Structure formats: structure tokens, C-alpha cells
Amino acid sequence: MTENTQTPSSPDSELPTQYAPAEVEGKLYERWVERGYFTADAASEKPAYTIVIPPPNVTGSLHLGHAFQHTLMDALTRRKRMQGHEVLWLPGMDHAGIATQNKVEQQLAEEGKSRHDLGREEFVERVWQWKEEYGGKILGQMRRLGDGVDWSRERFTMDEGLSKAVQTIFKKLYDDELIYRAERIINWCPRCLTAISDIEVEYQEDAGELVSIRYGEGEDSLVVATTRAETMLGDTAVAVHPDDERYKHLVGKQIKLPLTDRTIPVVADTHVDPEFGTGAVKVTPAHDPNDFAIGQRHDLPSMTIMDEHGVITVHGPFLGLDRYEARSAVVGALREQGRIVAEKRPYMHSVGHCSRCKTTVEPRLSMQWWVNVKPLAKAAGDAVRDGRVKIHPEDMSKRYFDWVDNMNDWCISRQLWWGHRIPIWYGPDGEIVCVGPDEQPPAGEGWHQDTDVLDTWFSSGLWPFSTLGWPEKTPDLAKFYSTDVLLTGHDIIFFWVARMMMFGLYAMDGEAPFKTIALTGLVRDERGKKMSKSFGNVVDPLDWMDKYGSDAVRFTLAKGANPGTDVPIGEDWVQASRNFANKIWNATRFALMNGATVEGELPPAEKLSATDRWILSRLNKTVAQVDAYYEDFQFAKLSEALYHFAWDEVFDWYVELSKTTFFAGGEGAKASGRVLGEVLDVLMRLLHPVVPFVTETLWTTLTGRESLVVAEWPSDSGFRDEAAEAEIGNLQQVVTEVRRFRADQGLQPGQKVPARLDLAGTPLAAHEAAIRQLLRLQPEGEGFSATATLPVGGATVALDLSGTIDVDAERKRLSKDLAAAEKEKAQAEAKLGNEAFLAKAPDNVVDKIKGRLAKAEADIARIQAQLAALPAA
């Protein structure tokens, strides 16, 4: 798109004196959407750039984790759009089976009803109504953040197109014998009454009890320990290690199971750790995944002893008891029989809870549908190993391989009503038929569809290609698959990332769903602590956006984004980012009022001052540096580089150094105005992907052009001027050292001091006016007395401090500080010279003392220089 080159007639009048994000951000965003800047064109000849968005739950709202990842994805897509790519960042939502069903069931409970009162069809219709009325709140919040997504392509994991994709791939997997039905151990929620995936299980340290129970009699007895005493009712063996001499006489024998009329065998299995506890473990195949595996190896029966509500279904005295009631009752009964050898309570141990309702999860033997992941997982591992897909940072690859190389078969059925219903029909004579999207299900008496729905991760695993129209061969699929980057938290690499890899490679003939997996850390509070409602440290990013603006929140998050590592964030940091936005605003207003312009060509280097050549050289180095950081997903480093270039070099140095030029007027001021315009133009382009709102407002005012969203990304022109950089570096050294001396002498920043500058024969001579202005140095007048002389940067600065400080008091203060520093040095030297101490002291202690010595020596040199610079008594 050709940029409009019209310039505003009175730029300074178009910028208010203060930046008010609330008055700018909403209007700007809607303008971007209305103009179609974020709408991707599949017919475009531009190179495609696609990012897959992790679809948030339809029940969700924007939290800091969302804001963090969306900021980074938005930065990537905005930059690529500016670089001339046809960018697709496709938004949408996940139907979130359990979470959404729970929301509607809670509504029904308030009406005194359950889903069973409505029936399946009416309940599902009620969920759709809830989704239309309450769901998708997060989509509006994404607009607040500034997400440059293509709203015209918004998708939902249960819309018609995605439902067809789900049915298609289920049928394909089933026909390829990669989906099967079997009875296995699953995570079961007795509250939600469904199997749940590993990612829906949250582990926490709970206070339970560990009881040691004696099984068998006399020499034919052994002791097992358990935290779930009630499950002993379903024990079908005791296992010991085959090499454990203590129990060799028992292997193969039957022993009495307490509280029952059954005997159970003692089996030898290498899974048992003979060094842990007593070296004997109870085996309950129907209620523990490890025990189930032992049972499979030894052909043990599996006894289910509780129902889906966690209620005991066997053994008279415990029948009908809740699992916790049964636990207490079983322990009591065992105690009466003298079977309890030891009890430990509280016993802290890791317990799984349903992430939705916080109920303790129960491992349970259940008939479910499964995906045979072995060939799919191998393909997902091979795609990374052979370089088709890169994981960033690379050291995260090990975690990925650990998962895909050891993945267990995936339980995909859920006992819910909301979700993609499993497309399996059962016949009256045991027939099983899988029905594809274009096929008619079998009809007739006795035929019925499976009542379960698919795991939410099954449909979200298809997201990179189902949202582009698959299984149809659409223009979107041809243009935008495979996607370029998956940017997501390292916490879901196992669950979502791996599933997309498996399904994408399987459905798309070996073409991976993305070229790069860029893994981020998790957002934590300013102390590095996990954000949790129970900790009271959860922050609503919308509150910070209201208070400081979306740009401030975005910039703070980006500044903390080191690849793969967690991101601490606190309100003080957001406030500092707001101050940065204000600094950009105020500096740009100053620039516009002093002739900054983008009109015309830049003057040739030989007609520019050293200051102008310095900032242009630094500008181009910054462009190159930022580009390199983007390609390496180093958002923290590129944000820091832009922050320091903008604040330190442009605003604190270039603008200040240029003031004397602007005040003087003439050709020099005209040239500097064009250079400042160029610097601000490029700086706003560089900053825009991370802080889009304030930069858009300032850039359109500065340039009069259409929008930064469709502006060109700046390129490194190759201009470098090392001599100018050295010259200005020297000037900065002089100003910095004299400022430090002034501060050490207790002078106020604005306090003027007579001074003589000896700059003859140095490049600094051309900067005398700027140096005097920056340091508040008056010309030497009549009666000038050089009471302090500072040789710095090849120049000499002589100051007349008479009448400005109490020399005697200052000398006493500095002498006291010098004595303290010399004492510290002597103590550190004594310790480091003590061989006995060095032989015993840890390395970190020795390093600390070395640091104290170095600091003391630096302090002594600094104080001695200050004393030498004081006027003679």
C-alpha cells in the first residue's frame, strides 16, 4: 500500500499536552479493524505469515498469561505485516467441554434443576444459548489489548466447519486402526462425572494419613503402607521385588486379605522398589495406574470397588459409604483387628484435583475410547529431529522429546453432553459403525450413538488446519498452511503442542502445522511467585490497562519475555512503562514544535553535525540489533534496546544536544530538524509492534501518513560513523563526570556555576555551547577563581565553587568517608591474605569478600579525586 505523504499544517497543535490512553486506544483499534488492516487475503501474492492462536476457553476472561502471549504474537504479526507479508492471525475460542458444561449446570442448580431434568438435546441447546449470551467475553478484551487478529475469520471449535473436521479425522484414525475402545485406568472426577485429561488434573500437597497394614498371618505375613486404605477392599495381590530375599518364601503363595473373605497372591515384579518402605506394595488394578500395569503383567483380576460418585459398592459393612467415610471406617476396622502397624498423620503428599471443581481425582478402571499415539508421536518427534520444525529455545527440545518419545495412549472420551459427540453407532447385535461427515448413520431398532463426547484437546489439536477449511482444499489452506510460529507457554507443550503436531502431520501428509515452536515462560508476581487466588496475588490486566494504558501493560510484559523463562511483573514496572510512553509523547511534542520533519531527503553526511551523524549511526545499529532479536524471539532484549535508545540516546542526549542548534536557527537547525524527524519516524516504526497505540498517534501526526500498521518496517541503511560515535561518546563522558562531581559536592542540578572549559585542540570545541547548557555552566566572569579542576575526556573543566559549598565541611565529610573505605579495604585484604581462612571458606564467601575489596578500592579512588578537586584551604 502506498503511504499518504500529506503532512499536517500545524503538528504541535494536534497533540494534547498530555497523553491520555483511554481517549486514544479504543478509537484507534476500531479504525484499524474498519479499514481492514488485519484482514488477510488468500489471493495475495505477498509471502504468507501465519500465527496460530491458542484458542481461549469460551468461558474465559483475559488474564496476565493471555495478555503476555498475545502481546508477543501481536508484535510478531505487526512487524511481519510492516515487512510486506500477507499476515493471518486467526482468532477463535475453544468450547471447553467441562468448564462450559459446569457453568450451565450451575445455572440449572440455581433453578433447582439438573441437566437430566432437561434431557440431552434441550441441555445442549441451553449451553448454546449460554455461549451466545455470556461466552466470548475474552474476545472483546483482546481488542482492548490491541490484538491485530483477522476478525472476519473468527472460529469456534464447535462451529459447523470444525465439527466436520473432527468427524473426518476421527473416521480416518478409526479406519487406520489408530482409535480403539478399551478398559483402562483413567483420571475420574466424581463431581463432574467424567474422565479428565492429564492437563485437567492439578496436583497439590494435601495433608492425609499413611497407614501401615499387616496382611497375612505369622511368617506368611508382610506389611504394606497406603494413603488410600479404602482401596484395599479391591486388592487382588501384593507385589515384591523378585530379588528381595525377605519375601522370596512368599512369592507364589496366597495370603489373607484383611476385612474380607478373600486370599490374594504375592507376586514378584521389578516395578517394586525394595528400598522404599517395607519393599511390599498392595496391588489394586482397578484403582491405580501402576497397579493396573502390574495386574496386566501377572494376569490379575481387576475389582472395581466404588462407583462413579466415589461410593463403595462392595463388602457389606462399608457398602454405600463415601470414599472418605470408608477410609476412616476401614482404618478403624483394621485397628480393631490389630492390623495397623503404624500410622502417620498428617502425611503430606501430592494429590490430584480436578482443575474445574477442585474435587480429588479418583484413578478408575473404565471403558473408554483411546488414540494409539505410538506412530503419531514418532512422526511428531521425527519432525523436530530432522529440522522441519524448530523448537525455541533449543534446550526445550529435551522436554518435548521426553514427552513424545514416552507418550501413553490418549483417552479421548468424556462423559459429558457438551462437546463433539463420538461418531460411533452400536447395533442390536454388537455391531460397531464409525460414521463420517458425509455418511448416514445406521437406522433401525436397536441402533444408538455413543453417548460420550470427545476430549476438548481432540478438536483444538486440529486448530492449525481445521480453521483454514480442512478437510476441503480451500484457498486459505493452500496459502496459510503450514503456519510460521506457534508461540505458547512451555506448560502445555505436552498436551496441546504435541497433539497439534501429531494431527497436523497425520492429516496434512507429513507437513508440520508450524515451522517454529517458540516457548515462553509463565507470568509471575514481582517476587517470582506463581499467581494464584489463594496467594492473593492475581492481577486483572484490564485494571492496569484502565489505569496506565494498554501500551504500558504490553511493554512491561515484552520487557520480561526471555525465551522459555518465567516473567515476573509488578505494578511499579507497569507504571514505569507508562512513564516511558509519556516520555515518548513529550519528546515528540518538543520535536514537532522545533522543526522535526520527515519532508525531503536527509542531508548528505558531510553537511551534518557530528551530533546528527552520531544519532543516525546509532539509529541504524539499533535497527540491525532489533531485527536480530526479533528473529531469535528475544523480546526482552529488543524492548530493552529500544527503551535505552529512545530514552537515553534520543531523548536525554540527542534532543538535549540539539537544543542549542534549534535555538540558533539557520541551516544547522534545518538539518537537525530533518534528522530528528527521521529518527522519530524510524523509532516509532520500531516501537509500534510492542506499543501500537501511542506510536500510531505520534507517527501519524509527525508524518501525516495513513497508519503505522501498514507502514514499511525500517531497514538498516548501512550508515555508520564510528568517529562521530567516539566524539559524542567523549562528550558524554565529560558531561557525566562533571555531573557526578557536582552531585558529590551537593550542588543542585539547576544550580549554575562559573566555569572555564579548555577544549582547544579537541573535537569537543564544537560542542562548548551544548556542554555549558547541559551542565549549567556560566562563562567565567570577572574575579573567576578555578577552585576545582577536572581533567576528563582529553579536556579540562575548571569550576569556581567559591560561595557554593562549605569547603571545610565538605573536606571533613569526604575525609570521614575515605577513612571508612580504607578500613574496609584493610579488613578485606586481611581476610584474603589469611591462608587458613581461604582453605575453609566456601567460594561464594571468598567471592563476596573480593567484591568488598574491589568496591572499597573504587570508593577510595573516587573520594581521593573529590578531595583533590576541592578548593585549597
Side-chain angles (χ1 to χ4, degrees), residues 357-383:
C357 67
K358 310 308 176 187
T359 301
T360 299
V361 169
E362 194 66 41
R364 186 169 189 262
L365 187 63
S366 179
M367 182 67 76
Q368 302 286 345
W369 284 95
W370 303 80
V371 173
N372 173 11
V373 301
K374 189 172 182 180
L376 303 174
K378 182 181 183 303
D382 290 346

Side-chain angles (χ1 to χ4, degrees), residues 425-429 431 433 440-449:
W425 268 256
Y426 303 101
D429 298 317
E431 304 97 329
V433 176
Q440 289 298 317
E445 187 175 349
W447 283 94
H448 64 280
Q449 187 177 358

Side-chain angles (χ1 to χ4, degrees), residues 654-790:
Y654 181 72
V655 168
E656 292 300 318
L657 288 170
S658 298
K659 283 181 178 178
T660 53
T661 306
F662 288 136
F663 296 159
E667 290 300 314
K670 186 176 179 181
S672 290
R674 179 63 188 91
V675 169
L676 181 52
E678 181 75 9
V679 170
L680 291 175
D681 176 12
V682 173
L683 177 60
M684 297 305 164
R685 294 173 195 249
L686 292 173
L687 282 166
H688 177 74
V690 180
V691 283
F693 296 108
V694 67
T695 52
E696 173 85 337
T697 305
L698 295 173
W699 186 84
T700 52
T701 302
L702 171 70
T703 67
R705 295 171 187 161
E706 183 181 347
S707 173
L708 266 175
V709 181
V710 291
E712 289 183 15
W713 181 254
S715 58
D716 176 7
S717 70
F719 177 79
R720 301 287 190 275
D721 194 323
E722 301 299 337
E725 290 198 41
E727 182 174 328
I728 301 304
N730 200 21
L731 180 151
Q732 291 172 321
Q733 182 186 1
V734 170
V735 173
T736 301
E737 289 298 322
V738 176
R739 279 177 173 168
R740 183 179 295 120
F741 177 77
R742 287 176 55 111
D744 288 341
Q745 304 307 318
L747 297 177
Q748 296 300 313
Q751 187 173 352
K752 293 183 178 180
V753 177
R756 178 192 301 134
L757 303 187
D758 184 4
L759 308 175
T762 75
L764 295 178
H767 303 284
E768 179 168 351
I771 291 172
R772 285 188 176 278
Q773 180 179 318
L774 290 170
L775 292 172
R776 303 295 189 266
L777 301 180
Q778 293 177 321
E780 53 185 297
E782 187 175 346
F784 176 83
S785 174
T787 57
T789 303
L790 301 174

Side-chain angles (χ1 to χ4, degrees), residues 143-162:
R143 302 170 89 95
R144 279 287 313 275
L145 188 65
D147 282 8
V149 296
D150 185 347
W151 293 108
S152 70
R153 285 177 166 83
E154 180 187 333
R155 303 303 300 270
F156 181 56
T157 50
M158 280 187 61
D159 66 29
E160 185 177 347
L162 268 66

Side-chain angles (χ1 to χ4, degrees), residues 745 801-813 870-871:
Q745 304 307 318
L801 301 179
S802 57
T804 60
I805 61 171
D806 184 334
V807 176
D808 288 338
E810 185 64 14
R811 182 172 283 109
K812 287 178 182 178
R813 182 185 72 81
L870 285 175

